[in-house]
Amino acid sequence: MSPENVQQFLENGMHRTCEPETTDGPKMKNTSEMPRKLTILGSTGSIGTNTLDVVRQLGGRRQFEIMALTGAGNIDLLAEQAREFGAQLAVTAEDNKYEALKSALAGTNIKVAAGKSGLEEAALMDAGWVMAAIAGTPGLAPTLTAARRGADIALANKECLVSAGDVFLRTVKQGGGRLIPVDSEHSAIFQCLTGEHKQAVERIVLTASGGPFRTWSRDEMANVTADIARAHPNWSMGLKVSIGSASMFNKGLEMIEAKYLFDLRPDQVEVIVHPQSIVHSMVGYTDGSYIAQLGSPDMRTAISYALTYPERGNLNVERLDFAKLARLDFEAPDETRFPALRLARTALERGGLQGAALNAAEETAFHAFVEGGIGFLDMAEIVETVMDRMHDGRSAATIEDVFAADKEARSHALELVVNIGKAA
C-alpha cells in the first residue's frame, strides 16, 4: 500500500469497515454485550442456515434476540426458523407468498411482510448486527438500508462491493457502522491482519479450490451441465456459489471485493489454487513473510468470527488433523481455462462501473446456463462482451447510477443469450 492509503486505512478503519485490533490502529467498539439483536437477510439460504446454527451453538435465544428473518420461496423453512428463534418479523421476498407465510405463522406474534417493502422493513429493524446473505443484486438495497442506519454489516453478499463498491463503502462510513467480512477468504485476511502494522502489508493471496473442473480441459468443460457444475469437491454451498466456484467467477468477484474491503491496488490482489481448501487465504508482508489462516472448510467458522468479534466463540466444527492431512498443494490458476479471473482483474484495472457490468452480466449468464439456454463456457464470453460494450469511463456517484448500469448490462447479456440460443 502507498503511505497515503495506509494512513487512510488506519484513520478510517478501512472506511470504518473491518479494521481489526492492531499495534498501530484504532480499537473496535465492544460487541460482547448480550443479548445481541440480530437480523438475517437471507436466512433460508446456505449462509443463513449456517448463521442460525452458529446462533444455536452460541446460546440461542438466551444470548441472541432475532429481530427479523427473510427468505424467498421456502416458506416452510422460513416459518420454522421464525418460530424457533422467536423472530419479531418474518419476510418473504416473493409478494405472492405472503398469504402462505402468514398462514404458516398463524397463532404466533410474529409479524409477516413480503416483497421489496418487506425487505426494507426488515433492514430497518433495531438490530445492531445484520447478516447480508441475500444472493445477488436483490441483496444490495436492503443491505444499504441497514448500513444507512448504522448497523454492523456481516457481509456475505459480494455484489454490494463488486457492483457498488465506492457507493456502498461511503454509505457504511456515513452510517457509522462496521463492515465485517463473512466469505471465508476475506475473513481469513481479516484475521491475518490482526496485530500487524498495516504499512507492512505487501499483498494478499486469495486461495481457490479450483472447483470440480480444476484439471479439465476447455473441451471437456464445454458440455457440462448445471448438475455437474454444482458438485463442489470441498464446500457445501448454494447453487449460485457452487457454479460460480466451478467457473471461478466466484473467485473473480472475491478479488474485486478484497480490493474494496482492504483498500488495495489491483496488483496487490493475487489468487492461488489450493485444492484442499485448508488454507483460506494469506497476507504477504514486506519482510517476505506470510501469515495464513487455516481451518476445515466450514462456513460456520467465518460466520462465528464475524458474530463474536473481537472474541471467538466455542464452535462445534471439525478440527484439523495435520498428521492425516499430510500435505497442502498449491498451483497457479489457468486464466485461459478459467477466464473469469482475467475478467475480474480487467474490471479492477478499468474501475468505474465495470464491476457492475461484470456482476450483472454474470448473473444473467448464470441463470441462462442453469436453465439450459447456454453452455458453461458461454458465460465468460457473454461477460467479456458486455464489459467491453460498457467500457466508456463511467463511474457511479449514486446507487441509482449502479442500478442503471446493472439494468443496461443485463439487457446486453440477455441479447447475447438469445443470439446463442438462435445459433444453437
Side-chain angles (χ1 to χ4, degrees):
M1 298 182 184
S2 68
E4 293 79 12
N5 281 343
V6 170
Q7 188 62 34
Q8 182 183 25
F9 195 87
L10 294 175
E11 290 178 353
N12 296 342
M14 294 189 293
H15 310 279
R16 284 191 56 78
T17 57
C18 51
E19 175 74 8
E21 292 187 14
T22 68
T23 55
D24 56 350
K27 304 299 182 182
M28 300 275 290
K29 63 185 180 184
N30 180 20
T31 59
S32 61
E33 297 175 358
M34 294 294 182
R36 297 193 65 190
K37 294 182 178 181
L38 314 180
T39 282
I40 302 175
L41 302 174
S43 67
T44 59
S46 176
I47 295 293
T49 54
N50 276 310
T51 300
L52 287 173
D53 187 59
V54 169
V55 170
R56 286 189 196 97
Q57 292 198 42
L58 298 181
R61 293 172 69 172
R62 298 191 310 276
Q63 300 294 329
F64 301 95
E65 182 179 0
I66 302 298
M67 305 302 290
L69 299 175
T70 82
N74 194 340
I75 299 302
D76 289 342
L77 177 57
L78 178 58
E80 178 185 331
Q81 292 174 339
R83 287 176 179 271
E84 178 185 353
F85 290 94
Q88 293 187 21
L89 173 68
V91 179
T92 170
E94 300 180 11
D95 286 296
N96 62 352
K97 297 292 178 65
Y98 172 78
E99 291 298 334
L101 181 58
K102 185 176 179 180
S103 176
L105 290 172
T108 72
N109 293 322
I110 300 170
K111 186 178 178 181
V112 174
K116 292 182 179 179
S117 62
L119 294 177
E120 184 83 359
E121 183 177 357
L124 286 169
M125 293 288 284
D126 183 26
W129 190 93
V130 175
M131 169 59 79
I134 298 176
T137 304
L140 181 53
T143 306
L144 276 168
T145 295
R148 286 190 193 99
R149 66 171 180 79
D152 288 343
I153 307 297
L155 190 67
N157 175 298
K158 296 178 177 62
E159 291 74 16
C160 288
L161 289 173
V162 174
S163 296
D166 290 330
V167 174
F168 187 74
L169 289 176
R170 190 161 59 244
T171 303
V172 172
K173 183 178 180 180
Q174 290 170 350
R178 299 173 301 165
L179 190 56
I180 306 174
V182 171
D183 275 343
S184 61
E185 294 82 0
H186 302 107
S187 176
I189 295 164
F190 177 37
Q191 294 178 57
C192 291
L193 288 171
T194 299
E196 296 295 328
H197 293 275
K198 298 302 187 302
Q199 62 266 35
V201 175
E202 188 171 74
R203 68 189 68 186
I204 65 166
V205 182
L206 300 170
T207 56
S209 70
F213 309 137
R214 180 175 61 87
T215 61
W216 290 35
S217 68
R218 282 184 61 82
D219 288 342
E220 290 173 320
M221 287 189 282
N223 298 314
V224 302
T225 65
D227 285 338
I228 297 172
R230 72 184 302 171
H232 196 280
N234 299 332
W235 296 89
S236 176
M237 303 177 293
L239 179 65
K240 178 69 167 64
V241 177
S242 296
I243 291 179
S245 177
S247 66
M248 294 197 78
F249 264 111
N250 195 53
K251 197 58 53 181
L253 298 180
E254 289 174 4
M255 291 169 62
I256 300 173
E257 190 179 10
K259 182 268 183 194
Y260 285 104
L261 275 172
F262 303 107
D263 193 23
L264 301 166
R265 301 187 311 272
D267 64 293
Q268 289 178 292
V269 182
E270 300 180 6
V271 172
I272 193 76
V273 175
H274 169 50
Q276 293 92 348
S277 297
I278 298 299
V279 177
H280 296 309
S281 278
M282 299 173 273
V283 176
Y285 291 93
T286 53
D287 64 356
S289 64
Y290 284 80
I291 296 178
Q293 189 265 338
L294 286 69
S296 297
D298 191 323
M299 279 304 305
R300 292 175 297 179
T301 301
I303 292 168
S304 175
Y305 194 73
L307 179 56
T308 62
Y309 183 83
E311 301 173 357
R312 289 185 184 268
N314 186 2
L315 207 60
N316 182 23
V317 296
E318 182 181 357
R319 268 51 175 176
L320 293 179
D321 185 329
F322 288 97
K324 290 182 179 179
L325 185 62
R327 57 182 285 174
L328 298 173
D329 297 307
F330 301 93
E331 60 193 56
D334 186 338
E335 295 187 2
T336 300
R337 289 186 298 126
F338 297 100
L341 299 178
R342 173 177 56 81
L343 295 176
R345 191 165 299 285
T346 297
L348 280 173
E349 293 168 349
R350 289 177 177 176
L353 286 164
Q354 283 285 283
L358 182 154
N359 178 71
E362 189 274 333
E363 283 188 9
T364 304
F366 157 76
H367 288 297
F369 169 64
V370 170
E371 293 166 3
I374 62 173
F376 183 76
L377 299 180
D378 292 328
M379 291 190 288
E381 294 181 7
I382 288 171
V383 171
E384 184 162 20
T385 300
V386 172
M387 288 176 61
D388 288 343
R389 286 185 183 181
M390 295 180 62
H391 179 33
D392 53 14
R394 284 178 291 170
S395 59
T398 67
I399 194 60
E400 285 73 24
D401 295 332
V402 175
F403 288 140
D406 181 272
K407 182 178 180 180
E408 179 183 346
R410 290 176 193 277
S411 177
H412 287 309
L414 185 58
E415 174 193 335
L416 295 167
V417 167
V418 170
N419 290 340
I420 290 172
K422 289 179 178 178

